[in-house]
Amino acid sequence: MNDPKEIMRRVNALAKISEEADRLTRTFTSPAMRQANQLAAGWLRQAGMKVRRDAIGNLIGHYAGENPRSKILLLGSHLDTVRDAGKFDGPLGVVLAIACVENLHRRKIRLPFAIEVVAFADEEGVRYQTAYLGSKAFAGCFDPKDLRRKDAGGISMASAIENFGGDAAKIKSAATDPKQLIGYVEAHIEQGPVLEEKNLALGTVTAIAGQTRAKIIFKGRAGHAGTTPMDLRKDALCAAAELIMAAENLARKTDGLVATVGQIHAGPGAVNVIPGEAHLSLDVRHVKDSTRHAALQRLGQTALKIARKRGLKSHFEIVHEASSVACSTTLSGLLGKAILRRQKKWLQLPSGAGHDAAVMAKICPAAMLFIRCKEGVSHHPSESVKAADVKLALGVMNDFLQMAAEKYRQIHGV
Amino acid sequence: MNDPKEIMRRVNALAKISEEADRLTRTFTSPAMRQANQLAAGWLRQAGMKVRRDAIGNLIGHYAGENPRSKILLLGSHLDTVRDAGKFDGPLGVVLAIACVENLHRRKIRLPFAIEVVAFADEEGVRYQTAYLGSKAFAGCFDPKDLRRKDAGGISMASAIENFGGDAAKIKSAATDPKQLIGYVEAHIEQGPVLEEKNLALGTVTAIAGQTRAKIIFKGRAGHAGTTPMDLRKDALCAAAELIMAAENLARKTDGLVATVGQIHAGPGAVNVIPGEAHLSLDVRHVKDSTRHAALQRLGQTALKIARKRGLKSHFEIVHEASSVACSTTLSGLLGKAILRRQKKWLQLPSGAGHDAAVMAKICPAAMLFIRCKEGVSHHPSESVKAADVKLALGVMNDFLQMAAEKYRQIHGV
């Protein structure tokens, strides 16, 4: 099971399981997810694992360690997708984890710790406008209030879980015991262009960046585009443009900061009318929360200044905030060592996207292996990963398990 | 008829004639327009005028001069409106013109020239997505191809004209003989904030600004807002923001130039996705065509530069162009003299908006009297003009007619 072709075959097989006819969409507790779980369960068993499904629908394979009381190293990722998804985001991590265990199983190797492969039931949060339902239940931080959420068809999350064969009343039972865990390691496509830009197949993640989303509104005065001289205008779109420039400039000169205005609306929106109102979204991320907070404060002040200077009103509202989550330096160090065996350079990069590892990091050391994807594209059917990179990733993960076992024996004298 | 209250009453009476129940909308050849014409025809007759309607539906009142061969001075504006219109844009000019003639009629005064009051049937062009249908027919530059245009309900312009009682086949007959004309004078709300800002009720128009509309597209690369470092982005919205700033700056530093981005669209338009595409509208106006052309050329180059610097593609397309139209300095000078009698200052300002006077200027000297409107607002129910300003405007127009008559007698020895 060191053939990347088999891994690609499995990724492709999962990609065929969709709830939509002409594109890949596999959401939480859908029939497609049930089918994907059945397929993956077969691979888990084939890899010598005992398979279970928890109350929220996570699929877990257990590969026993050298003794029944062995602690557990978790490997995994998620099997759900966004709408019209690519095939690697999530599934590749699950399939790689299974392949690692299958290698041990074939060679009849037991490690001083058990391995559990977790295929999380929901990371993307498409069906219920949430995120990380699977890993949250697994990590014991699922919010029961979420069970009342309804999907687009009016089906509550509780009903969806029951219909899937889970147990909404017992989500707590899905929580694993942190004391039993050595750590969580997740392989995932980078979803960004950095590895490709550096001409590297693999890297490790230093931290999952914290994120702030803000909503900004400028209110000026609509007016006739022909009859209102420039000095009598209160053009809300010009104010918005100034803020977009300010956000870009600040991010460019602040190492590691990214700032994005992804949505803009100018009203009334006629060719010959000065915009009286502009609405913008702002997404700011950085691995250091203090840097991110400082950037937000700065941009909030900038919005005020722009509005004051132009005689407009401004509104700056934080609508979402998530702290940065650091990865385990120990686990990442071992991954890095394994990477250096097969690749000249060990690149450590932050993850600007969220991952199950961010949730798992709350209960145990967590690390991530990033795999280069074509042009950094993800959440799109054109998501693409080279077979050679997959082979390298599998090699690194195999080596990592060996090194982790050695280190574990050294420390614990087993 | 020097009571502004009566003029306001007439403006209000016209404002009640709408094709929509809860707002003022009166489009070309609509039943509402027929009713408005009937009302105005009564006022024309009351002012001692012979009333006729031409082939396209313009309403014309003729007040004879001292002899049957007298040349004609035209006074007028339009009776059609935009959707959800204010009540002054157009009708105020018609009602003021009628009031001037009524004053002459009551005092039994004949001038050395005839006066014709023209109430144009279409200036706003709402129904057929055109502009100036009425004045174009009157000035003999109506494009017969327009007759084939269809309105939202599929009714051709030809049918609409016939149904209204006009004669689509004889639009040419609506053309007046330029040799008979002394000039055209139109009173109109400013539709801008300049008079209000200068604390003046009235001003004259130097020229009706030329206008260019352009469509600009930037194409970059969409990407994940979290995982794409700033230096690897091709953010189309940032490019658009840079161009918006450039357009504003150029207009600010170029005397009399206005540049407006009224529409913007950024795609794909998700909070967490870098915009890969941005579409903008650009509206540029100036009384000097060469200044406007230079501005457009400059902004086109700027768009290219921005795109090149950022590694994007850009598209810059002129979609509409209208040359500047100068007003008659003679007629404007007489208006200015009349203004100076009643107002300390004679302000001469360009018109950024289009007017029937721009069409009429093709066949005879044309001038415009601008009347202050509240906050420069037009094309909106909140359009507002002070009764005192209307009184002043009427006084100025009465004086203007007297002065014009004197001047005409001097020149022509009649």
Side-chain angles (χ1 to χ4, degrees), chain A residues 158-358:
Chain A
S159 305
I161 291 170
E162 296 290 338
N163 293 342
F164 190 72
D167 189 342
K170 291 189 179 163
I171 297 288
K172 271 191 184 171
S173 72
T176 193
D177 178 7
K179 287 196 293 285
Q180 289 302 310
L181 301 181
I182 293 171
Y184 171 79
V185 176
E186 179 172 2
H188 201 283
I189 58 167
E190 181 200 341
Q191 300 184 259
V194 177
L195 285 167
E196 188 175 71
E197 184 74 13
K198 306 261 183 204
N199 209 17
L200 295 170
L202 305 172
T204 62
V205 172
T206 52
I208 292 155
Q211 182 192 13
T212 303
R213 284 186 190 174
K215 206 169 79 177
I216 302 150
I217 302 172
F218 287 107
K219 282 192 183 174
R221 194 175 54 205
H224 194 296
T227 61
T228 316
M230 298 310 288
D231 58 336
L232 296 179
R233 294 183 174 210
K234 293 184 176 179
D235 188 326
L237 180 56
C238 284
E242 210 176 329
L243 188 70
I244 291 169
M245 295 281 86
E248 188 189 39
N249 286 334
L250 180 63
R252 276 184 174 169
K253 70 182 186 191
T254 311
D255 195 35
L257 188 74
V258 287
T260 309
V261 175
Q263 296 179 322
I264 186 161
H265 169 78
V271 173
N272 58 347
V273 180
I274 299 160
E277 212 165 307
H279 296 239
L280 301 89
S281 68
L282 177 67
D283 178 313
V284 176
R285 311 194 197 192
H286 196 269
V287 289
K288 264 179 85 176
D289 290 338
S290 58
T291 305
R292 175 170 50 89
H293 290 143
L296 260 298
Q297 208 184 356
R298 178 84 169 270
L299 291 174
Q301 284 165 352
T302 305
L304 257 181
K305 255 189 230 165
I306 291 169
R308 206 173 292 145
K309 185 182 66 177
R310 291 175 174 272
L312 314 184
K313 281 179 184 164
S314 69
H315 173 82
F316 194 103
E317 184 189 347
I318 305 290
V319 289
H320 167 78
E321 196 143 25
S323 297
S324 171
V325 175
C327 286
S328 155
T329 50
T330 311
L331 291 177
S332 301
L334 283 177
L335 277 173
K337 238 169 126 175
I339 286 173
L340 281 170
R341 276 200 196 164
R342 292 168 192 267
Q343 182 177 277
K344 276 181 191 156
K345 219 182 138 185
W346 169 26
L347 183 74
Q348 303 186 68
L349 71 166
S351 172
H355 291 289
D356 290 311

Side-chain angles (χ1 to χ4, degrees), chain A residues 17-34:
Chain A
I17 306 174
S18 172
E19 59 198 76
E20 294 185 286
D22 51 350
R23 54 186 200 167
L24 173 53
T25 302
R26 196 166 57 231
T27 62
F28 179 57
T29 58
S30 62
M33 183 58 88
R34 187 199 312 275

